[in-house]
């Protein structure tokens, strides 16, 4: 477990380095269905939030990282606030930097790790907005627990990368399952129509 503890960002200098990468890709002042990606992405695909916060996401990350020659990736909780909540309460950040070669077991164990005396403050349990990010900034993922959805954005629309993600279970915005997910959450038809229209405008 000591080895996994070292995966977490602990110094302010390291945090600022990763925060700069996050800010280059994401607009943290925006929320879905607004466009949360700053960097222009050519391709957006969707998955369920709970699917992403598990080792199920690792095949996607490993294959994308191989194509972009990334050796590490970041898993970071943006809400609750990493500074005002997590650093203030526990003395480190709930931002996890991992090798793309990490095993599924180690990755999930790291997601479940919690500060001493605060079992509920692991990444899986206490996370409203989570992002995954590559150093190359060629791909990134935004996950929203309230909407039970995550979005992957890619700079390149190479068919091989898109097809690989579709095989991993990612879905395009026009997939009927995606509309069904949102309809279950947004039970009012007018609210759903307005929300989905904005999603189509920002992520098609």
């Amino acid at each position: 477990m000591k080895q996994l503890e070292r995966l977490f960002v602990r110094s302010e200098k390291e945090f600022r380095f990763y925060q700069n990468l996050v800010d280059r890709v994401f607009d943290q002042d925006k929320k879905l269905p607004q466009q949360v990606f700053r960097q222009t992405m050519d391709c957006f695909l969707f998955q369920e939030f709970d699917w992403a916060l598990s080792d199920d996401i690792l095949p996607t990350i490993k294959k994308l990282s191989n194509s972009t020659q990334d050796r590490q990736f970041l898993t970071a909780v943006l809400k609750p606030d990493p500074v005002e909540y997590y650093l203030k309460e526990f003395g480190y950040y709930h931002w996890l930097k991992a090798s793309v070669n990490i095993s599924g077991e180690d990755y999930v164990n790291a997601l479940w790790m919690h500060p001493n005396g605060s079992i509920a403050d692991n990444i899986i349990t206490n996370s409203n907005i989570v992002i995954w990010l590559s150093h190359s900034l060629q791909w990134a993922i935004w996950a929203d627990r309230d909407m039970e959805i995550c979005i992957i954005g890619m700079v390149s629309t190479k068919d091989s990368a898109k097809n690989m993600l579709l095989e991993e279970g990612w879905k395009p915005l026009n997939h009927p399952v995606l509309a069904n997910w949102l309809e279950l959450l947004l039970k009012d038809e007018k609210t759903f129509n307005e929300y989905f229209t904005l999603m189509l405008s920002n992520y098609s």
Side-chain angles (χ1 to χ4, degrees), residues 121-136:
D121 280 298
N122 59 75
I123 290 177
I124 288 179
T125 304
N126 193 9
S127 54
N128 296 321
I129 300 294
V130 188
I131 61 96
W132 290 258
L133 188 63
S134 63
H135 279 220
S136 66

Side-chain angles (χ1 to χ4, degrees), residues 42-93:
D42 303 316
C43 178
F44 298 102
L45 295 172
F46 300 79
Q47 251 294 2
E48 293 179 277
F49 182 93
D50 289 338
W51 178 93
L53 270 184
S54 71
D55 62 349
D56 288 336
I57 200 171
L58 279 183
T60 291
I61 289 172
K62 289 174 185 287
K63 290 176 182 177
L64 281 175
S65 296
N66 184 57
S67 67
T68 56
Q69 298 184 324
D70 284 296
R71 296 179 181 275
Q72 281 191 327
F73 67 97
L74 178 72
T75 306
V77 179
L78 303 185
K79 292 184 181 179
D81 189 280
V83 176
E84 293 301 317
Y85 178 67
Y86 218 78
L87 179 67
K88 186 176 180 180
E89 293 292 328
F90 308 114
Y92 67 101
Y93 308 89

Side-chain angles (χ1 to χ4, degrees), residues 15 18-31 36-38 49 53 74-86 93-96 123 126-133 140-144:
F15 173 72
Y18 283 109
Q19 185 181 51
N20 179 58
L21 294 182
V22 171
D23 287 339
R24 285 170 62 184
V25 177
F26 297 110
D27 185 345
Q28 295 186 54
D29 293 327
K30 299 288 180 65
K31 62 179 183 179
V36 296
F37 292 85
R38 288 189 198 275
F49 182 93
L53 270 184
L74 178 72
T75 306
V77 179
L78 303 185
K79 292 184 181 179
D81 189 280
V83 176
E84 293 301 317
Y85 178 67
Y86 218 78
Y93 308 89
H94 49 347
W95 288 23
L96 179 69
I123 290 177
N126 193 9
S127 54
N128 296 321
I129 300 294
V130 188
I131 61 96
W132 290 258
L133 188 63
I141 301 169
W142 174 283
D144 183 325

Side-chain angles (χ1 to χ4, degrees), residues 171-200:
K171 297 168 178 61
L173 187 55
N174 61 1
H175 196 289
V177 169
L178 188 60
N180 291 340
W181 291 349
L182 293 173
E183 278 184 304
L184 290 172
L185 283 170
L186 305 167
K187 295 181 172 59
D188 176 75
E189 184 177 356
K190 181 174 181 292
T191 303
F192 165 76
N193 288 336
E194 290 175 351
Y195 191 98
F196 201 66
T197 297
L198 281 172
M199 288 287 282
L200 287 168

